[in-house]
Amino acid sequence: MAMSEAEDNKTELEKRVAALEKRIAMMENYNPPPQSTKKVVWIMLAVILGIFLAMAGIGIIQFVSSG
């Protein structure tokens, strides 16, 4: 009886170790998404808006100078 109880504890511990190893492997493979994606989007929008405003300014200058 004592031997089977010890074996049950051993198998229980082995199951726990296997589960923990699986969880550790999952955590090691997990890459958190970078938080800078919002920043990149805002920079891209600012660049596009800046180019648009520069083109509009050049167009207005050409239109005014052509008389």
Side-chain angles (χ1 to χ4, degrees):
M1 172 115 181
M3 188 64 178
S4 65
E5 190 176 324
E7 286 174 359
D8 287 348
N9 286 344
K10 188 176 179 186
T11 56
E12 181 68 28
L13 284 174
E14 285 173 355
K15 284 180 189 174
R16 284 184 178 181
V17 168
L20 285 172
E21 284 174 347
K22 189 186 284 185
R23 286 172 62 183
I24 289 171
M26 284 171 58
M27 287 175 67
E28 283 175 347
N29 292 334
Y30 175 71
N31 292 325
Q35 295 296 323
S36 62
T37 50
K38 234 179 215 180
K39 196 176 186 183
V40 170
V41 168
W42 280 112
I43 290 172
M44 282 172 56
L45 285 174
V47 167
I48 291 169
L49 187 66
I51 291 172
F52 175 79
L53 290 174
M55 295 292 223
I58 291 169
I60 290 169
I61 290 168
Q62 282 186 343
F63 178 77
V64 168
S65 67
S66 70

